[in-house]
Amino acid sequence: VLKNVRSERPGFTISIDTQSSYVARKAIASGADITNDVSAMRFDPDMIFAVAEHPQVKVILMHMQGNPETMQLAPTYKDVISEVYAFLQERLEYAENNGIDKSRIILDPGIGFGKNLNHNLKILRSLSHFSSLGCELLLGTSRKRFIEHISGADVQHRVGGSLATTMLACLFSIDIIRVHDVFEHHQFIKTLQAVAGAS
């Protein structure tokens, strides 16, 4: 699939979502430009080398408390902003110390990964805080469950809530947003830019 996408869309940026160094290497060899690791390279000790040996490849390091199986059981923080920030800072330093330049690193505060509604809202209000880490920032909020907790909407009816978070991403100059409803988000951002007078 990756080889076909790469040959058919040579100008596209392709991101592969994996916690496995084996999968990462295969994906990079097939044309992937970004490795998105929700464990921030903690679960597979070889992941750091799989990325470092390909200087053209970027890596997304995401904050997650626990693991995907347990992360939502009882997420607890004393101070979610400072703890997420410290985690991302430590992972950034780990990557840099192992040969990955900061320009190749994208940081994601991990909305919905080991966080309850209150934690997610605090992070969304404090997005600008993470810019001091000096990396590109990614925000993935599209259709996530915290929107249901706010509005009661099922997964197919969360575009409005997703767009609200995209508005925040624009206000805080987030570099990358991950969305499901691409057309709606593109239209929203283009309209917002037009109203604001952006080119």
Side-chain angles (χ1 to χ4, degrees):
V1 172
L2 281 172
K3 288 178 179 178
N4 287 340
V5 172
R6 172 53 67 219
S7 64
E8 294 174 8
R9 299 287 189 272
F12 280 26
T13 298
I14 299 174
S15 174
I16 181 71
D17 189 344
T18 183
Q19 301 167 56
S20 163
S21 58
Y22 174 82
V23 173
R25 284 193 172 95
K26 290 290 187 181
I28 292 167
S30 298
D33 304 290
I34 301 172
T35 298
N36 183 10
D37 184 351
V38 299
S39 79
M41 301 192 293
R42 292 178 295 143
F43 295 169
D44 183 342
D46 195 39
M47 181 63 90
I48 187 76
F49 305 110
V51 176
E53 63 196 29
H54 296 283
Q56 80 283 6
V57 173
K58 290 190 173 187
V59 61
I60 299 170
L61 304 177
M62 190 193 78
H63 175 273
M64 172 174 57
Q65 188 179 86
N67 59 56
E69 291 73 32
T70 65
M71 64 184 185
Q72 290 304 112
L73 295 180
T76 304
Y77 301 86
K78 290 182 179 179
D79 183 336
V80 66
I81 302 303
S82 63
E83 290 176 53
V84 171
Y85 186 97
F87 174 93
L88 293 175
Q89 185 174 45
E90 186 276 328
R91 290 286 86 195
L92 169 60
E93 291 171 358
Y94 170 76
E96 288 188 289
N97 291 337
N98 284 278
I100 302 178
D101 189 80
K102 181 180 280 192
S103 64
R104 299 170 56 196
I105 299 170
I106 302 164
L107 301 177
D108 179 354
I111 296 292
F113 282 79
K115 299 167 186 74
N116 62 29
L117 173 60
N118 189 48
H119 300 144
N120 290 320
L121 293 177
K122 284 183 177 179
I123 290 171
L124 288 169
R125 294 183 193 117
S126 305
L127 288 174
S128 60
H129 185 65
F130 300 99
S131 63
S132 63
L133 289 165
C135 293
E136 287 185 290
L137 297 177
L138 180 147
L139 185 66
T141 55
S142 180
R143 298 194 191 183
K144 287 196 172 174
R145 184 159 293 176
F146 79 94
I147 298 171
E148 178 184 4
H149 294 158
I150 295 170
S151 67
D154 64 34
V155 70
Q156 300 300 324
H157 298 91
R158 298 177 191 165
V159 178
S162 301
L163 289 170
T165 63
T166 294
M167 177 72 171
L168 288 173
C170 293
L171 289 173
F172 289 115
S173 299
I174 298 298
D175 301 283
I176 304 167
I177 57 171
R178 186 190 61 76
V179 301
H180 298 89
D181 306 286
V182 176
F183 176 86
E184 289 82 357
H185 282 78
H186 182 259
Q187 183 184 73
F188 176 88
I189 291 170
K190 294 296 288 185
T191 304
L192 187 65
Q193 289 175 332
V195 172
S199 57

